[in-house]
Amino acid sequence: MERKNAWDKYPEGKREPILQFAEKYRKFISECKTERECTAQMERIAVQNGFLDLKKLIGSPQTLKPGDKVYAVNKGKTLAMYIIGKQPIENGMNILGAHIDSPRLDLKQNPLYEDTEMAMLDTHYYGGVKKYQWVAIPLALHGVFVKKDGTVIQVSVGDKPGDPVFGVSDLLIHLAGEQMEKKAAKVIEGENLDLLIGSIPDSEKKEENGEKIKERVKANVLHILAREYQIEEEDFLSAEIEVVPAGEARDYGFDRSMIMGYGHDDRVCAYPSFMAMLDLDAQPERTCVCLLVDKEEIGSVGATGMKSRFFENMTAEVLYAAGQYSELALRRALANSKVLSSDVSAAFDPNYASVSDKKNAAYFGRGLVFNKYTGARGKSGSNDANAEYMGHLRAVFDRNDVAFQTSELGKVDQGGGGTIAYILAEYGMEVIDSGVAVLNMHAPWEIISKVDLYEAYRGYLVFLKEA
């Protein structure tokens, strides 16, 4: 059962909406390479579009009514947006859930050192990565330093015009005989993913207390950090600095039908989910939610991951602000909800056809992807959505001419993966994974199809309106 290519719906001359939407997305992922940056920019846009900070309503006499729009931010890394519907909230919500963290390298808490007159930063990789892909490419530093007095210093180096970049060096081919014999997982060890950040010795201070300073290159880097950012070495102890690919996302292919960029997993689903909320009608039937979370790539753990109580707590606050709160109403609201767990799927790659079942694979250009189940091998760790829910969504999408396809994550015994779907399903919600197909998933540079991105946006919008 082959699905049609979605580009056929948009003959030449009618592709402008796709290209305009894709260009806005390309700029977004070029500017927002961390979960903090995504949250901050989306919060600004949400406020411009009439969303009110839910936390400012707590304790106020204002009551939420149908059409009201509120949002909440959790520790700068998670965003929940609500548009109040006409029906009582306990009847259930239509929820778009995605994550905004991506695989990367993180700086360790004590990262800075010098070796043979080279200044280095020690890293710890985050999420599932092929470590060898992160060497010999330009890298940037994004994140925050938090001083002891609470001052937060934003850092972004490597992406602005004229910025220096950083990188992890690789072994030259002439000396790589032993390295080339290793398995791919061992070609580059995690402890060797250290960044080279400087090589000039400090010329201002060569001695201290009558003794020659041994680590003058490190000292020079610290002088630069102090001058540019008012940072001292101990401030690394309370920093969150992410190492990401340097450079903007680019159009891909002669026909410019694709985008290559960092962080498609999962911002290619988070962005259209967010935009669908902005473009939703003023008073939907059911309360609509966009939930963008952190930490999915390492198991959805922590205070900003899906396993935290943030979403449940904010939903309780919304019920209270709408004059509808009770513990039973909260439980009913959660259990009666419908969710699209908006996460990416693996696109079929003809270079690696052997890992996929062609009848049950996602393809570029065929629209939004439904994964009824993910998991590993015998569906372990999977949500496995109900057939009734899939039938309902088919009807909604077909009625609105949204291009969609179904997929599994590779052959049965090949591997697998997970999303936030199973966590939301624990409330008794109807949940299914639905997102955009990605090539090079978890690599520094991933690839998506522009028409799939646009069909995801259209699908998320009709889901909010009609599901």
Side-chain angles (χ1 to χ4, degrees), residues 338-340 385-393 430-432 463:
K338 296 184 176 72
V339 185
L340 294 185
N386 293 318
E388 292 87 349
Y389 187 40
M390 184 66 202
H392 170 71
L393 292 173
E430 293 280 17
V431 187
I432 193 169
F463 167 80

Side-chain angles (χ1 to χ4, degrees), residues 130-391:
K130 292 181 177 178
K131 296 185 285 291
Y132 65 79
Q133 294 179 330
W134 289 79
V135 302
I137 63 171
L139 298 171
L141 300 177
H142 290 241
V144 296
F145 286 85
V146 181
K147 309 282 282 186
K148 285 189 290 186
D149 64 2
T151 302
V152 178
I153 300 172
Q154 304 279 347
V155 173
S156 175
V157 187
D159 277 308
K160 298 182 292 293
D163 271 1
V165 295
F166 314 93
V168 180
S169 59
D170 197 6
L171 188 60
L172 64 161
I173 188 65
H174 310 77
L175 299 179
E178 290 184 9
Q179 182 192 52
M180 299 294 283
E181 295 297 321
K182 295 180 179 180
K183 291 184 178 181
K186 297 290 185 180
V187 168
I188 301 293
E189 299 281 358
E191 285 293 351
N192 293 334
L193 290 171
D194 291 1
L195 296 182
L196 175 59
I197 61 166
S199 63
I200 296 178
D202 189 354
S203 58
E204 297 179 9
K205 195 173 185 181
K206 298 181 181 180
E207 292 187 0
E208 190 169 41
N209 299 324
E211 294 185 8
K212 185 178 180 181
I213 296 176
K214 294 181 180 179
E215 296 184 324
R216 291 173 57 213
V217 176
K218 174 182 171 180
N220 190 49
V221 168
L222 286 171
H223 280 156
I224 294 170
L225 292 176
R227 182 178 68 246
E228 298 293 331
Y229 301 102
Q230 296 74 55
I231 293 167
E232 57 188 53
E233 186 172 6
E234 279 203 358
D235 292 330
F236 280 101
L237 295 175
S238 51
E240 291 180 359
I241 305 298
E242 301 179 14
V243 183
V244 298
E248 65 179 14
R250 302 283 296 275
D251 282 350
Y252 198 85
F254 282 118
D255 56 6
R256 297 179 179 267
S257 62
M258 299 165 281
I259 297 174
M260 180 185 71
Y262 167 69
H264 285 317
D265 181 6
D266 184 36
R267 291 164 200 147
V268 74
C269 298
Y271 181 82
S273 297
F274 174 76
M275 293 305 296
M277 283 289 284
L278 297 186
D279 294 341
L280 189 62
D281 294 339
Q283 291 190 22
E285 279 297 314
R286 285 160 59 93
T287 293
C288 294
V289 180
C290 178
L291 178 62
L292 306 177
V293 298
D294 182 26
K295 298 292 190 290
E296 191 275 343
E297 296 294 356
I298 58 170
S300 296
V301 294
T304 55
M306 191 62 242
K307 289 182 180 178
S308 77
R309 304 294 286 271
F310 168 71
F311 173 59
E312 183 179 335
N313 292 342
M314 291 305 100
T315 300
E317 294 287 359
V318 168
L319 280 162
Y320 187 83
Q324 301 177 31
Y325 178 77
S326 72
E327 182 65 15
L328 183 58
L330 174 61
R331 298 299 156 200
R332 286 174 175 170
L334 295 170
N336 292 330
S337 292
K338 296 184 176 72
V339 185
L340 294 185
S341 172
S342 306
D343 208 339
V344 297
S345 190
F348 180 82
D349 189 337
N351 283 333
Y352 305 98
S354 64
V355 301
S356 298
D357 170 9
K358 281 191 172 184
K359 303 185 303 302
N360 291 284
Y363 295 88
F364 266 14
R366 298 187 188 177
L368 181 71
V369 184
F370 283 110
N371 284 83
K372 186 178 185 296
Y373 42 81
T374 52
R377 298 173 177 84
K379 300 184 181 179
S380 177
S382 172
N383 166 59
D384 205 355
N386 293 318
E388 292 87 349
Y389 187 40
M390 184 66 202

